[in-house]
């Protein structure tokens, strides 16, 4: 498979019109495109996703099936979220709960988190935990954008070294799109909800 056959999709956990997370994800995707991949931003504002109800089939839950289909089409998925209350944001959680092993198992995932204050370490950790439960393969390099309103000016990174870290995530998304999967995690063995999604 050449790099031009690799498709990288980014899920944005912020619905805000002027989202810094979305702007940072566009930089990740730009770097991935520069490395030869096709790219796609999955903007959750464009999907009607009711709050997850395990009693409801995905086919009956608004645009959930359409979103899952776009996630399945990706070789690498970038999860991007603002830090909300020390974790990642609920629109992304809803989107992830509509997905399962079919979308994430043995798939490469990159993580990006954005915060208004200090480094969004816990948001990254919590997204990483979800990926372990879904048997995804998470890129070791992760991108954190603290103090977001000062870090970006008109959707451009002020600090070139931070931009380089964010761009590196896009490069790794292509480089590791076809990595040999690891054995299943212990957490995934307990994840009955991810079966048959
Ligand atoms: C409900 C809510 C909770 C937040 N919690 C935190 C937090 O725990 N730590 C932090 O540094 N910033 C927090 N913020 C600030 C956001 O992380 C920051 O504004 C970020 O840029 C939002 O991402 P966006 O620009 O992509 O929408 C919070 C914002 C909101 C709306």
């Amino acid at each position: 498979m050449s790099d031009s056959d690799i498709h990288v999709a980014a899920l944005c956990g912020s619905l805000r019109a002027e989202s810094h997370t979305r702007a940072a994800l566009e930089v990740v995707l730009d770097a991935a495109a520069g490395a030869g991949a096709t790219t796609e931003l999955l903007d959750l504002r464009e999907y009607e996703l009711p709050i997850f109800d395990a009693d409801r089939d995905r086919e009956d839950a608004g645009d959930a099936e359409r979103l899952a289909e776009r996630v399945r089409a990706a070789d690498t998925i970038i999860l991007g979220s603002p830090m909300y209350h020390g974790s990642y944001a609920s629109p992304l959680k809803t989107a992830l709960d509509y997905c399962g092993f079919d979308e994430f198992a043995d798939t490469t995932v990159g993580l990006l988190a954005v915060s208004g204050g200090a480094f969004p370490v816990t948001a990254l950790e919590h997204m990483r935990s979800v990926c372990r439960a879904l048997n995804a393969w998470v890129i070791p390099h992760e991108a954190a954008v603290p103090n977001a309103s000062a870090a970006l000016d008109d959707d451009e990174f002020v600090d070139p070294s931070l931009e380089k870290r964010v761009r590196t995530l896009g490069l790794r998304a292509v480089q590791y799109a076809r990595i040999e999967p690891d054995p299943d995690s212990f957490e995934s063995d307990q994840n009955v909800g991810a079966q048959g999604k």
Side-chain angles (χ1 to χ4, degrees), residues 57-183:
D57 291 337
R58 188 163 68 189
E59 295 72 24
D60 300 327
D63 294 325
E65 186 61 44
R66 182 167 70 90
L67 178 68
E69 186 272 321
R70 292 318 306 150
V71 175
R72 282 196 299 278
D75 298 295
T76 298
I77 304 158
I78 308 292
L79 300 181
S81 180
M83 173 116 121
Y84 280 0
H85 306 325
S87 188
Y88 65 99
S90 60
L92 180 61
K93 177 63 172 160
T94 299
L96 291 172
D97 286 345
Y98 280 117
C99 295
F101 291 135
D102 286 349
E103 287 71 33
F104 278 91
D106 300 335
T107 299
T108 300
V109 175
L111 303 178
L112 175 141
V114 171
S115 57
F119 271 81
V121 175
T122 45
L124 291 165
E125 285 174 356
H126 297 174
M127 289 192 282
R128 189 172 284 270
S129 294
V130 172
C131 291
R132 282 189 63 76
L134 290 169
N135 279 329
W137 191 89
V138 185
I139 296 169
H141 176 84
E142 52 190 24
V145 182
N147 198 10
S149 53
L152 288 143
D153 182 19
D154 215 6
D155 290 350
E156 308 257 332
F157 279 97
V158 174
D159 176 359
S161 66
L162 180 56
E163 178 173 358
K164 187 174 180 192
R165 287 196 60 82
V166 172
R167 287 195 165 276
T168 298
L169 187 62
L171 299 180
R172 299 290 176 263
V174 179
Q175 183 180 2
Y176 294 120
R178 290 284 160 193
I179 198 162
E180 183 74 20
D182 289 337

Side-chain angles (χ1 to χ4, degrees), residues 9-27:
L11 263 170
C12 181
S14 173
L15 306 183
R16 216 164 61 80
E18 304 291 323
S19 166
H20 300 306
T21 308
R22 197 177 309 112
L25 284 174
E26 293 283 16
V27 173

